[in-house]
Amino acid sequence: MKIKISKLIIFLLLSTIAIGQTIKNELKITQITPNFYVYSSYKMFGTKKQDANAMYVVTSKGVVIFDSPWDDFPYQSLLDSIELRHHKKVILAIATHSHEDRTSGFDFYKQNGIKTYTTKLTDKISIKKKQPRAQFLMSKDTIFNVGDTSFETYFAGAGHTKDNIVIWFNKEKILYGGCLVKSIDAPDLEYVGEANIKEWPKTIRKVQSKFQNPNYIITGHHDWTSLRVLDHTLDLLKLYNNKSK
């Protein structure tokens, strides 16, 4: 796949990084189409630097963001970066599941007048874990029309977590898979503490069947430029099951 990408890498007052310390101010924004952007934040786990990919889209009415940076990222930096680049404010935020690299910014977003959404299932988990909650809850798959942009949420079943959803932009053929979908450079399934290994393959196949021929598939971590990531996720699940026998 030939990808024409322009990159804006923003390093905001990077502090010295010690082992076990979050990289609080590092933000990478990558343009994939005229109005669609992937943004990545980072965190240290021991000596390993971990990224978390998320996305935003610029509409005629404002900016919609999908998921959140890590738990102690300065969220205002993301909003400022978006407004500086696009001269528009973030008006809506949707989280694809309950983990901290998806929902942690919700309290800040709400304080800044940004409408926040999750599924009811994600909200139940957030309540149990005492994590930030959304202002609005989706009881079923939902189509959003924001200005000139339309997209839909889809819950295909359990996988990485029991509440993970994906986002589909039909006009642009962009699938935001989040952490349900593993990056092409992921050697294994990584964190499976809340995963449903049995249902995960079925969930991936439902996504493949429903959203065909995507131009981009955005994964929750690592490299997101491959279109083979759904099949790769299935391969990793097969490998995990074989090792477990």
Side-chain angles (χ1 to χ4, degrees):
M1 178 179 62
K2 186 176 180 181
I3 301 177
K4 187 176 181 181
I5 297 177
S6 64
K7 292 185 177 180
L8 172 64
I9 301 178
I10 303 173
F11 295 99
L12 302 168
L13 303 176
L14 280 175
S15 58
T16 301
I17 301 170
I19 293 176
Q21 184 179 27
T22 301
I23 308 173
K24 295 183 178 181
N25 300 301
E26 187 174 348
L27 177 67
K28 178 181 177 181
I29 298 178
T30 306
Q31 183 178 18
I32 58 175
T33 74
N35 293 319
F36 286 76
Y37 298 78
V38 174
Y39 73 88
S40 303
S41 57
Y42 303 85
K43 188 170 184 175
M44 294 299 294
F45 289 91
T47 59
K48 182 180 179 182
K49 180 181 179 181
Q50 175 70 288
D51 58 43
N53 300 324
M55 194 176 76
Y56 71 83
V57 58
V58 181
T59 81
S60 58
K61 294 294 185 179
V63 177
V64 180
I65 57 178
F66 302 91
D67 291 328
S68 168
W70 288 105
D71 57 327
D72 56 357
F73 182 86
Y75 306 112
Q76 188 64 51
S77 297
L78 174 62
L79 302 186
D80 290 345
S81 299
I82 291 173
E83 187 170 1
L84 179 65
R85 177 165 184 151
H86 306 289
H87 308 291
K88 292 185 177 183
K89 292 185 178 295
V90 175
I91 59 172
L92 191 152
I94 297 176
T96 54
H97 64 279
S98 62
H99 285 169
E100 67 178 13
D101 57 339
R102 307 295 141 185
T103 63
S104 64
F106 268 22
D107 286 342
F108 182 85
Y109 295 156
K110 286 185 286 185
Q111 291 170 8
N112 283 267
I114 298 169
K115 294 181 179 179
T116 53
Y117 288 80
T118 63
T119 65
K120 286 187 174 181
L121 181 55
T122 293
D123 187 60
K124 289 180 180 179
I125 298 171
S126 297
I127 292 172
K128 185 176 181 180
K129 293 184 176 181
K130 298 182 180 180
Q131 295 176 170
R133 299 173 59 195
Q135 181 182 7
F136 300 99
L137 303 180
M138 298 177 286
S139 60
K140 59 183 179 179
D141 298 335
T142 304
I143 295 175
F144 287 80
N145 294 291
V146 184
D148 54 357
T149 302
S150 178
F151 58 89
E152 62 180 293
T153 68
Y154 179 55
F155 175 69
H160 170 70
T161 59
K162 64 182 179 181
D163 62 322
N164 44 215
I165 63 171
V166 300
I167 312 291
W168 174 249
F169 298 84
N170 188 58
K171 180 180 177 181
E172 299 82 5
K173 303 297 180 185
I174 294 175
L175 176 65
Y176 180 66
C179 297
L180 174 69
V181 184
K182 304 305 296 183
S183 171
I184 197 67
D185 60 358
D188 54 46
L189 296 174
E190 299 179 296
Y191 176 66
V192 293
E194 298 170 55
N196 188 322
I197 301 298
K198 181 179 179 181
E199 294 298 319
W200 200 339
K202 301 176 187 178
T203 299
I204 291 294
R205 292 191 183 99
K206 286 182 182 179
V207 172
Q208 286 179 311
S209 177
K210 187 173 179 65
F211 305 124
Q212 299 182 17
N213 302 314
N215 291 323
Y216 297 93
I217 304 174
I218 310 304
T219 58
H221 298 279
H222 313 313
D223 176 46
W224 47 266
T225 59
S226 172
L227 290 177
R228 292 189 57 253
V229 290
L230 293 168
D231 285 332
H232 181 61
T233 303
L234 291 174
D235 289 342
L236 292 177
L237 285 161
K238 185 177 180 180
L239 180 64
Y240 182 92
N241 284 321
N242 288 339
K243 287 182 177 180
S244 300
K245 290 180 180 179

